Amino acid sequence: MLSSALVAALALAAGEPVPAATPAIEPLPAPPASAHLGVLRARTVSGPYAVPGMIANDTSDDNGMGSYVTQLTLPCSNCYITGAEFSLAYPEVDAAGSRAVANVDSGMYLHHAVLINANRSDAVCTQDSASHLQRTFGTGNERGYLDLTLNGTRRTGYYVGADDMFFLAVEVMNQRAGAAREVVITTAWDYATNTTDFKAAVPIWLDIDGACGTYTNGSEVAVPADAHVFSYPSPDAWSPAAAYEVLVAGSHMHDGGTRLDIAKNGAVVCEGVAHYGETPGYVSTLPDDGMSGMPGMNMAASKADAGQLAHISSIHTCFDLGATSASDKWTVTAHYNMTEHPGMETTDGAVKPIMGIGLLYLMEV
Ligand SMILES: *[C@@H]1O[C@H](CO)[C@@H](O)[C@H](O)[C@H]1NC(C)=O
Ligand SMILES: *[C@@H]1O[C@H](CO)[C@@H](O)[C@H](O)[C@H]1NC(C)=O
Ligand SMILES: *[C@@H]1O[C@H](CO)[C@@H](O)[C@H](O)[C@H]1NC(C)=O
Ligand SMILES: *[C@@H]1O[C@H](CO)[C@@H](O)[C@H](O)[C@H]1NC(C)=O
Ligand SMILES: *[C@@H]1O[C@H](CO)[C@@H](O)[C@H](O)[C@H]1NC(C)=O
Ligand SMILES: *[C@@H]1O[C@H](CO)[C@@H](O)[C@H](O)[C@H]1NC(C)=O
Ligand SMILES: [Cu+2]
C-alpha cells in the first residue's frame, strides 16, 4: 500500500540514498507529435522486483503483493518532462531489444507505479509528514500514454530541478502461486532540454480518499458493506492558488469502476469512462489447476464468462479543458458497478478496497 509506510520508506531512503537499481537510460526515437518542440524520448527501467507468489490460504488484501520504493534517475535535469508512458514487463531482453509485457494474461497486475519528487511540495496535500513530497506521474494497470504538450500545441512540461530526487513507488501483484517472479517498470519519458518559453505543468491529485489519502490510507477506501453499485465522492474540494489552463484530466480506478466524474464547481467536465479487456493482455484466465481458494475462484463459477475475466484496460482521458482560477472548486466522484464488472477479491471472496483518483495537469498562465 502506498501509505504511511511510503512516507517512512522515503524518509529512510532520503537518509541513506538508494542506488538506482538499473541506471540504464535507453534512447528512443523522438515523439512525432512534439518533436518540433525539441522533445526527445528515452526509456528508464526500474527494478527488477521479485514479486512473491500467492499463497492459497492467505486471505489478506496483500496476498501476492510486492511493494517497492526505489530511486529513479530521470533522463534529464533542469528540463521539462512533457510526456510519459509506463509499462510493466519481464526483465529479459530479447534479441530485438524488447521485453515481454507483464499483464493479467500472465498473472501480473500493476496495482500502481507513482513517481514522487522528494524536493517539492504537493499542491493538494500539505500535511507535515508529506509536505516535502509531490505526486507527479503515475499509472495503474491500465497504463497508457500521456502527452502534456497536447500533440505539440503547448510548450509545457513538468519541470525537473537540477537537484530534485525522485522515487518510484511500485505495487505489483503476482496472481500465481509458487515462486516469486521478477518484473520491471519501464517508462518512456518525453523531455525537453531546450526550454525557451516553456511553462511549468503542475500535477493535481484529486482523490476519493481525501487530499492526503495517498500517504495515510494508500488512497484505498473500503467498498460500502453489501454494495455492488455505488458512487463515492471526494470528501473535500480543491481550489487552485492561481490561474491556470487545464491541459489534461486523467483517471484511475480499480476493477468494478465504470466512470470517474471530474467536476468543476459541481458540473462534470470530464467523464473518465473505464473500458475493459480491449486487448488480450487485459483478460485473465482463471486458475484451472484445482488450487481452491485462489482469488477469482468464486467469480469463475458465478460471474466470469468461461473462466475469462476482463480487467480495466483504459480510462478515457480528457484534454484541453480551458481556464481555472482560485474561485473554482474541483471534485471527483467514482462510480462502481461490481455486478457489471467484478472487483478484485481476496482468497476468501472478500472484495478488496477500491480507488478513485483524478489526475489533472495544469499549465501556469
Ligand atoms: C532532496 O530531497 C532529498 C530527500 O529528502 C534530500 O536528501 C536532499 O537534500 C534534497 N535536495 C535538496 C537540494 O533540497
Ligand atoms: C497455511 O498453510 C500452511 C501449510 O499448510 C500452514 O503452515 C499455515 O499455518 C497456514 N496459514 C494460515 C494462515 O492458515
Ligand atoms: C493527438 O493526436 C492523436 C493522433 O492524431 C489523437 O488521437 C489525439 O486525440 C490527439 N490528442 C490531443 C490532445 O489532441
Ligand atoms: C531552442 O528553442 C528556441 C525556440 O524554439 C529556438 O529558437 C532555438 O534555436 C533552440 N536552440 C537550440 C540550441 O536548439
Ligand atoms: C483507512 O484505512 C483504515 C484501515 O486500513 C480503514 O479502517 C478506514 O476505513 C480507511 N478509511 C477510508 C476512508 O476508507
Ligand atoms: C449495473 O450493472 C448491471 C449488470 O450489467 C446492470 O443491469 C445495472 O443496470 C447496472 N446498474 C447501474 C446503476 O448502472
Ligand atoms: Cu489503485
Side-chain angles (χ1 to χ4, degrees):
M1 250 154 278
L2 184 63
S3 60
S4 47
L6 169 67
V7 177
L10 288 168
L12 192 69
E16 206 174 305
V18 184
T22 312
I25 294 177
E26 305 167 0
L28 296 171
S34 55
H36 66 281
L37 302 180
V39 173
L40 303 173
R41 181 176 284 175
R43 184 192 288 126
T44 59
V45 182
S46 303
Y49 309 112
V51 191
M54 277 195 172
I55 299 168
N57 61 356
D58 176 353
T59 60
S60 73
D61 288 350
D62 295 340
N63 191 2
M65 194 85 92
S67 297
Y68 314 91
V69 178
T70 50
Q71 199 184 326
L72 192 149
T73 303
L74 289 169
C76 61
S77 68
N78 192 14
C79 61
Y80 289 80
I81 299 291
T82 67
E85 179 167 24
F86 289 89
S87 190
L88 182 70
Y90 295 106
E92 297 74 23
V93 179
D94 69 16
S98 308
R99 297 171 186 83
V101 170
N103 206 337
V104 292
D105 60 337
S106 58
M108 277 291 177
Y109 179 82
L110 175 56
H111 222 266
H112 58 250
V114 179
L115 186 75
I116 291 171
N117 186 342
N119 299 95
R120 204 170 301 168
S121 301
D122 194 286
V124 181
C125 170
T126 53
Q127 75 176 20
D128 283 354
S129 62
S131 62
H132 60 297
L133 302 174
Q134 184 190 42
R135 298 162 289 190
T136 61
F137 294 93
T139 187
N141 195 59
E142 67 278 357
R143 312 160 203 209
Y145 173 53
L146 171 72
D147 174 16
L148 296 174
T149 73
L150 309 188
N151 286 337
T153 62
R154 304 292 192 288
R155 302 178 71 81
T156 188
Y158 176 82
Y159 177 68
V160 179
D163 298 316
D164 288 353
M165 187 179 271
F166 289 88
F167 293 91
L168 191 67
V170 176
E171 215 171 76
V172 182
M173 183 179 281
N174 180 352
Q175 300 178 305
R176 295 206 174 145
R181 291 188 291 153
E182 287 194 340
V183 292
V184 293
I185 296 283
T186 63
T187 317
W189 301 100
D190 294 351
Y191 64 98
T193 52
N194 173 11
T195 54
T196 315
D197 302 332
F198 264 60
K199 288 180 177 159
V202 181
I204 302 295
W205 185 287
L206 305 171
D207 193 337
I208 63 172
D209 196 25
C212 296
T214 303
Y215 302 109
T216 55
N217 245 24
S219 289
E220 293 187 333
V221 301
V223 170
D226 298 325
H228 294 286
V229 182
F230 56 91
S231 296
Y232 211 122
S234 52
D236 334 287
W238 177 80
S239 296
Y244 292 96
E245 178 186 337
V246 184
L247 298 169
V248 177
S251 300
H252 173 67
M253 284 178 291
H254 287 185
D255 283 351
T258 55
R259 196 175 85 233
L260 188 95
D261 285 337
I262 300 178
K264 183 172 119 177
N265 303 322
V268 175
V269 294
C270 179
E271 293 188 355
V273 175
H275 301 279
Y276 283 74
E278 293 159 292
T279 55
Y282 292 92
V283 180
S284 58
T285 303
L286 298 169
D288 58 0
D289 58 1
M291 188 172 183
S292 65
M294 290 297 282
M297 289 310 286
N298 301 332
M299 296 172 199
S302 59
K303 301 171 193 158
D305 183 11
Q308 305 266 299
L309 186 63
H311 301 266
I312 291 183
S313 49
S314 70
I315 304 183
H316 179 70
T317 300
C318 302
F319 300 100
D320 203 4
L321 294 178
T324 187
S325 63
S327 59
D328 290 333
K329 291 183 163 33
W330 289 86
T331 52
V332 297
T333 303
H335 301 285
Y336 276 78
N337 183 343
M338 293 191 172
T339 309
E340 193 173 349
H341 297 290
M344 304 288 269
E345 296 181 353
T346 63
T347 47
D348 60 354
V351 67
K352 294 191 191 186
I354 47 114
M355 290 193 187
I357 295 167
L359 186 51
L360 307 180
Y361 290 89
L362 311 183
M363 183 174 76
E364 294 176 348
V365 292

